[in-house]
Amino acid sequence: MDGRTRKGDRAPVVGVLGLGSLGERVVRAVLAGSSGSEVVAVGRDAGALERLRRSVGESRLSCGTEPADLKRADLVIEAGPEEPAAKEAALRAVDEACPASTVVVTACAALPVEQFAAASGRPGRLLGLRACIPPPHGAKVELTGTTQTSPEALTLARGVLEAAGYEIVTLPDGAGQAAAELVYGYLNSAVAMVEEGYASAEDVDTAMRLGCGLPYGPLQLVDVIGLDTVRDTLRALHARTGDRTFEPAALLDGLVARGSLGRRTGEGFHRWDGGEAPVPERHRAPSGAASAPGTGDGGARLPSRRFASVGVVGSGTMARGIAEAVARGGVPVTLVARDETRASAAFDAVDRSLARAEQRGRISECERLGVLGCIQATDDRAELAGSDLLIEAVAEDTDVKHSVLRAMDAVAKPEAVLATVTSSLSVDGCARATGRPSRVLGLHFFNPAPAMRLVELVRTDDTDPDVLAAAHALTRELGKCAVECTDRTGFIVNALLFPFLNQAVRTLERTGLSVADVDEAVTAGFRHPMGPFALLDTVGLDVSLAILRRLNEAAPQQATVPAPTLEKLVADGHLGRKTGTGFTLREAPARAAV
């Protein structure tokens, strides 16, 4: 559609009320689109209006400061703050200024459009706009009507938005709002992580992109949506639900107050140079906020040491995967299992993995043989004595890990570094089980270790900076990307991902939406590679439940209290892909089980 749906071939006049991040984005999109529409931009900030006029430089743009300036508009997009009273006042002002034929679209990420039907004075010509993914990640929006919205109003709004380059997604009733709540809660948690100095914005974004396969990191998405829009939406959600998950992180308020609104202003959690991707520079928190002191891959110091040989203790999937990944990087590795049988089986499993890679054309026969030549598998821990880095990859049990680390400490040379691959236990506790806490760190590889690029590098208060630098250097040698964080249960990925998944289950219990509804809204609206329930089934419901329990034990909060439906499915033996039953698999209940 080209948007020419009013009065013959005349392009509709489009009004935009409110020139925050969303409003300005809409103005630019309509002017750049194919409709040829005139745009009337209305806002109270005269400086912002002038900047928009200068930067756009369009004869089709006229600017005003009062709703009365919208009187010629065929369609008005109200893009003010996500606050019910403010929206009602804005809609009443538009109704007074515009003729009865004008269609009004109100941007409401977290509020139902039906709530504003009466205040609008034109329920038959009112629609809601929920912006899901802004450019460059798809420019997706959801249009929702009231029970009285006319087909003509919907046709006009759809035509204008599609001509402006937006993709209209159609989602099950209520699913778009539920998905927005899930995503905005996750974004707020990511902001809080940076605010607390736990990890940098760059590392949080990298972790979630590489660890979860997302097309963007959470802080990059906040920058693109606009910090003001995210802050206002969170305020509305918090006011409506009372859920502290939605209480905006103080860092958001601070950045908005100083005018750092994200890509729109050139600076937010990242710096932007006018392009569609942020400048690759580590975020520096503003004055008054903690900053993450990580060295990161982008600016790590040159290490004074290099890990020329690596030892791995364990023979399970992760231990074998790490050994293969290290050997593929050309670093000699010694894998130590409990007995000869397990050692031989581990070596054979790596051999089979490499053979599959060769069959798929990913490595040559020569490369396969070279990698195997870098691996020694044994049951003799004394073989670890010459290793520069010793990695424990045994069962996720505190007593087991501490026992293995003490044994590694006893055999390792004095200058060697010890690492734990724990995903949920205290790295500091592991370090203090040894006699060298300054030379112990966490190296959390993701499964399958040979393929997954992400490694979470976890430092304690005692970890020597040279040890961190050497670990960063090793991950680069292996073709991996390390993100650095302090020692806290769940590190970056699990600490953000599993509360999000848990909240998705609670959404199921609270709303009556189906599993398919929520998964579709998250994938279609926000371009996640899979919905939360498909991901839960893939990870394993029992694994997810165990991680949530550990997160809640370490830092009790409502977001990590396991949802009753999740606990019941696990108790009934529905564990996801491993049992063939779960949330998305046919044999299991499709709706909440409570």
Side-chain angles (χ1 to χ4, degrees), residues 387-445:
S387 297
D388 296 324
L389 171 67
L390 285 69
I391 304 172
E392 72 75 17
V394 297
E396 191 76 353
D397 177 274
T398 300
D399 292 339
V400 172
K401 285 192 181 292
H402 287 190
S403 175
V404 169
L405 283 162
R406 282 191 290 268
M408 290 163 57
D409 188 29
V411 73
K413 58 189 180 183
E415 68 272 21
V417 172
L418 309 184
T420 173
V421 300
T422 182
S423 61
S424 61
L425 302 178
S426 167
V427 175
D428 183 67
C430 290
R432 296 191 180 283
T434 76
R436 58 181 84 197
S438 68
R439 293 192 298 281
V440 178
L441 74 161
L443 284 177
H444 181 215
F445 287 79

Side-chain angles (χ1 to χ4, degrees), residues 339-390:
D339 53 52
E340 288 186 13
T341 300
R342 286 182 172 85
S344 178
F347 185 87
D348 290 344
V350 173
D351 190 8
R352 289 193 299 273
S353 173
L354 293 168
R356 288 192 297 272
E358 181 186 350
Q359 291 167 0
R360 294 167 183 166
R362 295 174 182 168
I363 60 174
S364 66
E365 180 184 12
C366 182
E367 289 170 326
R368 177 177 65 82
L369 295 175
V371 172
L372 285 174
C374 285
I375 301 174
Q376 174 191 2
T378 179
D379 65 343
D380 184 1
R381 286 182 179 170
E383 295 291 333
L384 298 170
S387 297
D388 296 324
L389 171 67
L390 285 69

Side-chain angles (χ1 to χ4, degrees), residues 218-256:
L219 286 314
Q220 182 181 353
L221 182 57
V222 171
D223 272 0
V224 173
I225 293 174
L227 276 70
D228 51 342
T229 299
V230 172
R231 190 271 312 269
D232 291 345
T233 302
L234 286 168
R235 282 179 173 174
L237 286 168
H238 185 242
R240 180 165 61 83
T241 66
D243 188 339
R244 294 190 63 186
T245 301
F246 301 124
E247 185 174 3
L251 182 54
L252 268 179
D253 283 322
L255 288 169
V256 171

Side-chain angles (χ1 to χ4, degrees), residues 61-364:
L61 174 67
S62 58
C63 298
T65 59
E66 299 295 333
D69 295 318
L70 298 166
K71 60 187 177 185
R72 296 185 300 107
D74 298 306
L75 179 139
V76 172
I77 298 175
E78 182 279 318
E82 189 91 354
E83 198 279 314
K87 283 201 176 293
E88 289 179 3
L91 291 171
R92 282 193 293 267
V94 170
D95 187 47
E96 292 175 5
C98 297
S101 59
T102 299
V103 173
V104 179
V105 178
T106 180
C108 46
L111 301 169
V113 67
E114 288 282 359
Q115 179 176 340
F116 304 107
S120 73
R122 55 187 75 210
R125 304 187 76 75
L126 177 71
L127 296 104
L129 174 70
R130 181 171 292 109
C132 301
I133 298 296
H137 302 295
K140 294 189 175 189
V141 296
E142 181 190 14
L143 267 179
T144 57
T146 71
T147 55
Q148 302 174 60
T149 300
S150 70
E152 179 193 358
L154 179 59
T155 298
L156 176 62
R158 178 181 287 272
V160 167
L161 290 168
E162 288 180 341
Y166 288 99
E167 178 186 350
I168 311 295
V169 295
T170 302
L171 301 173
D173 187 36
Q177 181 176 327
E181 291 180 11
L182 288 173
V183 171
Y184 275 87
Y186 151 74
L187 295 180
N188 198 37
S189 297
V191 174
M193 188 173 277
V194 174
E195 177 181 285
E196 294 162 8
Y198 179 65
S200 72
E202 184 179 337
D203 279 353
V204 170
D205 279 353
T206 299
M208 298 311 291
R209 283 191 300 103
L210 297 183
C212 299
L214 298 176
Y216 45 78
L219 286 314
Q220 182 181 353
L221 182 57
V222 171
D223 272 0
V224 173
I225 293 174
L227 276 70
D228 51 342
T229 299
V230 172
R231 190 271 312 269
D232 291 345
T233 302
L234 286 168
R235 282 179 173 174
L237 286 168
H238 185 242
R240 180 165 61 83
T241 66
D243 188 339
R244 294 190 63 186
T245 301
F246 301 124
E247 185 174 3
L251 182 54
L252 268 179
D253 283 322
L255 288 169
V256 171
R258 77 174 196 182
S260 297
L261 306 182
R263 187 175 67 177
R264 170 191 174 203
T265 58
E267 184 179 8
F269 287 96
H270 302 280
R271 296 176 68 178
W272 300 77
D273 62 1
E276 293 186 341
V279 176
E281 179 181 354
R282 181 167 302 282
H283 172 68
R284 290 176 174 82
S287 177
S291 61
T295 54
D297 280 352
R301 66 174 66 87
L302 291 175
S304 59
R305 68 167 75 212
R306 177 183 177 273
F307 298 135
S309 58
V310 174
V312 178
V313 177
S315 58
T317 300
M318 183 56 74
R320 300 193 304 264
I322 293 172
E324 180 181 337
V326 171
R328 282 195 182 199
V331 180
V333 58
T334 300
L335 184 148
V336 177
R338 277 187 289 172
D339 53 52
E340 288 186 13
T341 300
R342 286 182 172 85
S344 178
F347 185 87
D348 290 344
V350 173
D351 190 8
R352 289 193 299 273
S353 173
L354 293 168
R356 288 192 297 272
E358 181 186 350
Q359 291 167 0
R360 294 167 183 166
R362 295 174 182 168
I363 60 174
S364 66

